[in-house]
Amino acid sequence: MIFSLYPFFREAPRSGSKAGRILLILSVMPRMRKGGNHTLSSFVLRLMALLCMFIDHAGLALFPSVGIFRCIGRLAFPLYCFLVAQGFRHTRDIRAYARRLLLLALISEVPFDLLIFGRISSAMEQNVVFALLLGLLALYAVRMLKGNRLFSAMAVFALMLAAMAARVSFGWLGVALCLAFDYARDNRSGQALSAVLLPALYSLTLLLSGVSRSWVMVSLCACLSAVPILLYNGKPGLHHRALTLAFYAAYPLHLCFLLMIRAMRIIPPYFLH
């Protein structure tokens, strides 16, 4: 995949601004679609999301002045929402899936608060697994209320409000992405388009709420998640229960690892403090 995209990334700097580079890369997606180069399995998408998330949190905790870390990290959340939508479609037990996400969210909250806010508990923001759980609940509600569009809309709206009221990471975006990916389940181009439009809308709401333009531009990098989504081949890839558990455990463990590295003060600028 990297080599197939190389010519487009080579051209990207000529477009000028960061937004221009994003638009240039997104403009090649129809050509990629026509080429039929669907090479990424669910396993590969999981690895990509995990790597992007680790880079994001490493940038936040250890290299706060290096913006590229946060730009790369923006791809993780849409990819995880996409994987939740895929998991919802194929899981045998949605309730067990939801329980796993809830347990993971609760276990991860303390290391998340310690890494982000420097204290054991904070009401400022809840970790991203809660956003994925609310997205899964929205999918389940829509399925159960399929015959009643009004009640379905009310349930979705209530879950979006809950995400914003609880200050869950990314607010309403998690619910919206999961629903959009599931709605376009058999249309890869539609899913990729959702991965562009919804993060772009979310970035616009950030701008209108007074968030700095520089962070809004970083948030727009989430639109690049459309590329791996477009290349998804619909296959699980390498799959084993132990791997699934490892992917779950990676979230709290990587937070703890970064906490330890920061506490040891071995990476600049922390060794100077």
Side-chain angles (χ1 to χ4, degrees), residues 135-155:
L136 179 65
L137 293 178
L139 292 170
Y140 183 69
V142 170
R143 175 183 289 182
M144 292 296 101
L145 299 171
K146 190 173 182 179
N148 194 315
R149 293 185 179 180
L150 177 60
F151 284 167
S152 294
M154 291 174 61

Side-chain angles (χ1 to χ4, degrees), residues 51-131:
L51 179 60
C52 289
M53 178 181 65
F54 181 84
I55 292 172
D56 183 42
H57 290 156
L60 178 65
L62 305 176
F63 308 100
S65 62
V66 184
I68 188 63
F69 282 75
R70 308 308 309 279
C71 291
I72 295 172
R74 295 304 90 190
L75 277 70
F77 185 65
L79 290 178
Y80 275 122
C81 289
F82 180 79
L83 291 167
V84 166
Q86 293 298 311
F88 172 77
R89 184 177 183 183
H90 298 292
T91 186
R92 299 175 183 176
D93 191 340
I94 294 175
R95 294 182 181 181
Y97 190 9
R99 286 195 297 268
R100 289 195 298 270
L101 286 179
L102 177 59
L103 180 61
L104 179 62
L106 294 175
I107 291 174
S108 304
E109 188 60 22
V110 170
F112 174 81
D113 286 339
L114 284 171
L115 185 68
I116 306 300
F117 303 108
R119 48 179 183 254
I120 292 179
S121 179
S122 174
M124 292 295 294
E125 184 179 351
Q126 316 311 318
N127 72 75
V128 73
V129 184
F130 284 109

Side-chain angles (χ1 to χ4, degrees), residues 13-81:
R14 303 175 187 173
S15 62
S17 68
K18 186 183 296 183
R21 291 194 293 271
I22 292 173
L23 290 174
L24 175 61
I25 295 170
L26 292 177
S27 70
V28 308
M29 291 196 302
R31 280 181 276 166
M32 293 165 59
R33 173 72 174 175
K34 183 180 290 187
N37 187 20
H38 300 272
T39 58
L40 304 184
S41 65
S42 292
F43 175 76
V44 175
L45 289 186
R46 284 186 179 189
L47 281 178
M48 292 180 64
L50 179 60
L51 179 60
C52 289
M53 178 181 65
F54 181 84
I55 292 172
D56 183 42
H57 290 156
L60 178 65
L62 305 176
F63 308 100
S65 62
V66 184
I68 188 63
F69 282 75
R70 308 308 309 279
C71 291
I72 295 172
R74 295 304 90 190
L75 277 70
F77 185 65
L79 290 178
Y80 275 122
C81 289

